[in-house]
Amino acid sequence: MRRVGIEWGLLLVALIVLAAWLGQGPAASVSGRLVRPDAALYDLANQIRHARWHPAVVVIEIDEASLARIGRWPWPRAVHAALLDSLTRAGARVIGLDLLLAEDAVDDEIFAQSLHDAVPTVLPVASERDRQGREWPIYPVPSFGQMARIGHVHFGFDRDGVVRGLDLVENGLPAFALALHAQAGGAMDHPLLRAARGALADQRPGTTTSSAGFALLPPFAANGHRVSYAALLAGEVPLADLRDRIVIVGATAAGMRDAYSNSLVRALPISPGVLLHVAALSAFEQGMLARRIGPGWQLALSCSLVLLTMALLYLSRPGQALAATVLLALTTIALSGLLLQLGFWFPPAGTLTAIGLAYPLWSWRRLESLVAELQRQVGQMRKMPAALRASIQGADLVGSLLPPAQDVQRQRFQAPDDPVSEVLSQLRLTGMWAMSLRQLLATTLERLPHPGLVLTRRGAALLRNERARSAFPQLTQEASDARSWLLQEFGDDAPMRALFDENQASPPGLERQDRQGRDWLIDSERVVAEGLPAVWLMQFTDISTLRAMQREREQMMRFVSHDLRSPLVSILAALEQSPGPTDPQVQAAIGRHARRSLELAESFVQWTRAENKVLQHDPLDLADLLTECVDQCWQAAQRAKVSIELQVPGEAAIRGDAGLVKRAVVNLVENAIKYGGPGKRVRVSLLARGRDWRIEVADQGPGLPPGQGSRLFEPYFRGQDADSRTGLGLGLALVRLVAERHGGRANAVNRAGGGAIFGLELPADPSPPEQE
């Protein structure tokens, strides 16, 4: 999942960068880097809105009929002066002469006088480029410019060569239509018009400003009031029709007009400039201007739409992803159209490209991840767990128990599977294998001969086999808190709690009695499987019959211990207290045999108790216990003239049966005293060995016979040099028995310089000491 998230984030960043880069474009353009798609989408969205020919606008056309009646172009300035006089007499509100009057003529004084006497008039300013690409303005004759307003007649060519708007202010001059609108007293409440008015108000005399306030114009139908130039001069047009009108004079005749490729004038893809001025003036009057959104908003909208697309693709199912992508693309187009209706244009082509690429790229990454995950799952399912692999003989043994795969009848020609189908086929076959194996293992667990439980970390019973449900029927109601039930059923003490302690090794073979009086041997193991949380596996072995037999054996041992030992003790006491003149040799022989019989009986009793006693796991301090053992052996050491040296640390904590551990240590010390010899020294030391404590008893005797070091701990085994009259060979065997029952070990090695070292290792107690 982490890799999928990283890939999703990287793809999101890449698509956002792509959308931002493709959306970049000049403010005087409707397109980003994808010119034609953005322009086409703008023209499509711009058809929804349209402006009407303003009823106050009249166009005086210099058409073919006027050229035929008046003569070849250029006409004398006196003709234009006559037109101005007619329009002034008619009471026109404002006049716009879309005629370049940049050169002097013989009748300029007549035109200047008419211009002086006329209503407010606007003259155009054009520009031309030199060979170096520099633009030079073409102003009217200075005397004309002093008596009239001037405005630039340039329209903004988009990067596809189509006119869709104009700069409201260019080089300090208002647009020709904006100057007419201002002279006619039109409203300036639109934000673009207010900005243009502010730019003109801040203009200092003699300076120029860069282009500012590019306005996008709506389309309009050129079906307004149009009058022929010659007809007006001939008096064929009633002057009353021109009263309080905005009159624009311009050329529409073929060959002499300024023609523009545009999407503004409907049905006229190539339109004269005078009609574009009408379109702009109508848009000003009706407040239907638009502008391209700024780079910051462009980036914000692109990022939001791409992010929303990627989020839907991430959360959608594969069948829904395509529908989500199409929905977001349509939403982007609709958003652009809605913003255009509100006066803002958002070029969507770059964002649509990023959205269109998001679906195939993300689907490709999803498919790659799916195939990789399927292959990994197939490999994991085919990989046999180590425990199962170690428990069988041969890799085909489990496979032989599973049902064979279905045979597929092949046709004469069969196209090869694609990689995805091949992986799915492998997954299907492997799934059949895994299901069969799971059924086999589940049935095997259910039929285990002993009650078994699998507990979760919180103590709930995850699994219970048939024997467990039969032996503990009340566990069915307590399954959600099986740990508490176990502590109530078998005793809430430290050994039982150690079964569920993650930081402490479970005591092996914990013997407990339930509330029904049944004896159980409880084995617990913490199991941590790869990729799964830890669980506790517990097995309960019913040892009630065994414990009954042990109790009978203990009764027999009590008989041996009491009824057999008591006469021997009485014989020894009678010999020691007898005042009669008994033969000393006979008396010594009787005493020796009686003591040997007593020692044999005592050794057998101790061995049997150590072997069958229910082990206690009490906290013990080995340092104190060793001190007690040395004190107990002090008299025997004195009789044998052997000194004992004790070396112990401050504290050594273990858990165990104090009586058995003490008996084992005493056996080691007594063995060292017996074989050390008079005048020798026995050293008893306690050492830390990793997680264990090691008790070492070193003597200065003859050492161990060659090859007999490990056999000395076997029951009834006695070394070659041992005195056949003493011992039964159970002393050291009891030491090893006690060590193994506590999870430790016992060993013996020869000591450098003579003698032997007997060791007893016991696990240290990992639990911290309780605070008082």
Side-chain angles (χ1 to χ4, degrees):
M1 290 299 294
R2 180 181 179 185
R3 180 180 178 182
V4 174
I6 293 175
E7 290 183 353
W8 182 85
L10 292 177
L11 181 58
L12 173 63
V13 173
L15 291 177
I16 287 177
V17 172
L18 177 64
W21 182 74
L22 292 178
Q24 291 179 358
S29 173
V30 298
S31 61
R33 296 184 184 274
L34 300 176
V35 177
R36 294 193 179 278
D38 273 330
L41 289 170
Y42 172 79
D43 293 338
L44 178 64
N46 206 30
Q47 295 301 317
I48 303 175
R49 63 187 194 127
H50 65 277
R52 299 180 305 276
W53 183 300
H54 196 274
V57 177
V58 177
V59 174
I60 307 298
E61 299 181 276
I62 303 176
D63 52 5
E64 285 84 356
S66 298
L67 291 175
R69 295 175 65 177
I70 298 176
R72 290 173 50 187
W73 188 266
W75 295 336
R77 302 279 168 85
V79 175
H80 300 317
L83 179 66
L84 288 178
D85 293 340
S86 298
L87 294 175
T88 302
R89 289 194 304 272
R93 189 190 312 174
V94 63
I95 302 172
L97 287 178
D98 186 15
L99 304 174
L100 288 178
L101 306 175
E103 299 179 353
D104 296 330
V106 294
D107 49 359
D108 281 351
E109 293 181 359
I110 299 174
F111 182 78
Q113 185 61 42
S114 298
L115 188 62
H116 180 270
D117 297 335
V119 296
T121 305
V122 179
L123 297 178
V125 174
S127 63
E128 62 180 7
R129 292 179 181 271
D130 59 14
R131 295 180 178 178
Q132 287 74 31
R134 295 174 297 181
E135 288 192 359
W136 296 93
I138 302 176
Y139 291 100
V141 174
S143 59
F144 300 162
Q146 294 175 359
M147 290 178 288
R149 304 294 187 270
I150 58 176
H152 74 84
V153 291
H154 301 144
F155 291 94
F157 288 95
D158 214 324
R159 288 189 286 178
D160 60 350
V162 177
V163 171
R164 296 183 176 88
L166 77 165
D167 281 311
L168 297 179
V169 177
E170 181 179 287
N171 293 326
L173 296 175
F176 186 78
L178 180 60
L180 287 173
H181 178 70
Q183 292 299 318
M188 303 288 284
D189 53 353
H190 193 278
L192 285 174
L193 298 180
R194 289 199 303 268
R197 181 176 61 183
L200 293 172
D202 295 339
Q203 182 69 25
R204 297 179 181 180
T207 62
T208 59
T209 59
S210 60
S211 299
F214 188 84
L216 297 173
L217 302 176
F220 90 120
N223 54 0
H225 195 177
R226 302 168 67 173
V227 178
S228 174
Y229 193 109
L232 179 62
L233 287 181
E236 299 174 359
V237 177
L239 295 181
D241 294 345
L242 302 177
R243 180 174 299 279
D244 199 29
R245 299 295 183 91
I246 302 173
V247 180
I248 304 177
V249 181
T252 60
M256 64 167 292
R257 65 185 183 183
D258 50 344
Y260 298 93
S261 175
N262 72 100
S263 62
L264 302 179
V265 182
R266 293 180 176 178
L268 289 176
I270 305 297
S271 174
V274 64
L275 293 183
L276 295 184
H277 293 315
V278 176
L281 184 59
S282 300
F284 295 159
E285 292 289 343
Q286 298 169 33
M288 297 185 63
L289 300 178
R291 58 182 171 178
R292 176 173 175 160
I293 61 175
W297 284 104
Q298 174 83 24
L299 179 61
L301 286 176
S302 298
C303 292
S304 300
L305 290 170
V306 173
L307 177 60
L308 182 59
T309 302
M310 289 298 297
L312 288 178
L313 289 178
Y314 186 87
L315 298 175
S316 300
R317 296 181 178 274
Q320 303 169 343
L322 180 59
T325 305
V326 174
L327 177 62
L328 262 297
L330 295 177
T331 302
T332 302
I333 296 175
L335 178 62
S336 298
L338 177 62
L339 289 176
L340 186 60
Q341 296 301 311
L342 298 176
F344 301 95
W345 170 242
F346 163 58
T351 304
L352 289 174
T353 302
I355 291 175
L357 288 174
Y359 174 73
L361 291 177
W362 180 244
S363 298
W364 165 61
R365 290 312 309 154
R366 263 188 172 180
L367 183 60
E368 285 290 325
S369 300
L370 176 62
V371 172
E373 180 62 21
L374 288 177
Q375 290 176 338
R376 191 184 70 83
Q377 291 293 340
V378 168
Q380 289 292 330
M381 294 174 69
R382 285 185 171 182
K383 182 181 178 182
M384 187 179 296
L388 184 60
R389 187 168 58 250
S391 66
I392 65 176
Q393 297 293 329
D396 297 332
L397 182 59
V398 175
S400 65
L401 300 176
L402 305 180
Q406 268 188 330
D407 294 331
V408 179
Q409 183 178 3
R410 292 187 173 273
Q411 302 175 358
R412 179 171 300 177
F413 172 77
Q414 182 177 1
D417 291 338
D418 63 281
V420 178
S421 298
E422 184 178 353
V423 172
L424 290 176
S425 178
Q426 294 176 0
L427 182 63
R428 182 167 55 254
L429 293 176
T430 308
M432 292 174 57
W433 186 91
M435 287 293 293
S436 301
L437 182 59
R438 186 175 66 176
Q439 182 68 23
L440 174 63
L441 294 178
T443 305
T444 303
L445 177 63
E446 180 71 9
R447 299 300 181 182
L448 283 177
H450 298 286
L453 297 178
V454 178
L455 303 183
T456 65
R457 186 174 185 177
R458 296 184 177 181
L462 182 63
L463 293 174
R464 294 162 292 167
N465 66 354
E466 182 181 359
R467 294 295 181 94
R469 295 193 297 271
S470 176
F472 309 117
Q474 63 274 29
L475 184 57
T476 304
Q477 290 78 23
E478 304 290 341
S480 60
D481 194 7
R483 180 182 301 179
S484 299
W485 175 83
L486 287 171
L487 294 177
Q488 293 175 3
E489 185 74 13
F490 296 100
D492 187 357
D493 53 13
M496 280 296 297
R497 290 187 174 275
L499 294 177
F500 310 102
D501 192 348
E502 297 183 10
N503 302 318
Q504 185 174 349
S506 300
L510 183 63
E511 298 181 14
R512 286 304 171 99
Q513 193 174 73
D514 61 13
R515 287 181 289 188
Q516 285 75 34
R518 295 174 296 181
D519 293 302
W520 297 94
L521 181 65
I522 305 175
D523 292 297
S524 174
E525 183 70 26
R526 182 172 178 265
V527 180
V528 181
E530 182 179 357
L532 296 175
V535 296
W536 275 262
L537 177 61
M538 303 187 70
Q539 176 178 283
F540 299 82
T541 305
D542 190 351
I543 57 173
S544 300
T545 304
L546 179 62
R547 284 293 169 257
M549 296 174 62
Q550 288 179 346
R551 283 190 288 271
E552 295 178 359
R553 185 176 180 180
E554 288 176 359
Q555 291 178 359
M556 182 187 69
M557 292 308 302
R558 282 196 294 270
F559 167 76
V560 173
S561 177
H562 181 268
D563 296 347
L564 182 60
R565 290 169 60 195
S566 295
L568 294 175
V569 173
S570 300
I571 292 173
L572 290 175
L575 288 175
E576 292 176 358
Q577 298 175 5
S578 175
T582 308
D583 187 352
Q585 293 183 352
V586 175
Q587 188 176 13
I590 295 173
R592 186 169 59 250
H593 289 298
R595 275 189 290 270
R596 175 167 171 74
S597 298
L598 184 60
E599 290 176 0
L600 292 177
E602 185 68 27
S603 298
F604 182 73
V605 169
Q606 292 177 2
W607 163 261
T608 305
R609 286 178 176 173
E611 186 179 26
N612 299 283
K613 182 182 180 182
V614 177
L615 198 64
Q616 302 297 323
H617 293 273
D618 300 324
L620 304 176
D621 185 0
L622 277 182
D624 294 341
L625 190 141
L626 289 182
T627 303
E628 295 178 9
C629 293
V630 170
D631 291 342
Q632 183 176 337
C633 298
W634 183 82
Q635 290 184 354
Q638 290 297 315
R639 288 194 298 267
K641 299 180 180 180
V642 174
S643 60
I644 302 178
E645 177 183 346
L646 179 62
Q647 298 178 355
V648 294
E651 184 176 342
I654 67 167
R655 282 189 174 271
D657 192 300
L660 293 181
V661 175
K662 187 175 181 181
R663 183 69 260 172
V665 175
V666 168
N667 283 4
L668 289 178
V669 177
E670 289 181 346
N671 186 73
I673 293 173
K674 182 186 298 183
Y675 290 98
K680 303 296 184 178
R681 184 176 68 248
V682 174
R683 185 181 74 248
V684 181
S685 55
L686 181 59
L687 307 172
R689 288 289 185 269
R691 297 183 178 181
D692 298 335
W693 288 105
R694 178 176 174 83
I695 303 170
E696 287 189 353
V697 179
D699 61 45
Q700 296 177 336
L704 304 177
Q708 297 184 6
S710 59
R711 298 197 61 193
L712 290 176
F713 293 94
E714 296 179 2
Y716 308 109
F717 177 81
R718 305 176 70 246
Q720 297 177 357
D721 299 333
D723 188 355
S724 61
R725 297 171 298 175
T726 59
L728 191 58
L730 294 178
L732 294 180
L734 183 141
V735 173
R736 187 175 71 174
L737 177 62
V738 172
E740 291 177 349
R741 292 200 63 185
H742 284 79
R745 61 175 183 169
N747 56 17
V749 295
N750 279 321
R751 178 185 181 189
I757 299 177
F758 289 83
L760 172 61
E761 294 184 7
L762 299 173
D765 185 6
S767 60
E770 298 182 359
Q771 299 293 331
E772 294 184 359

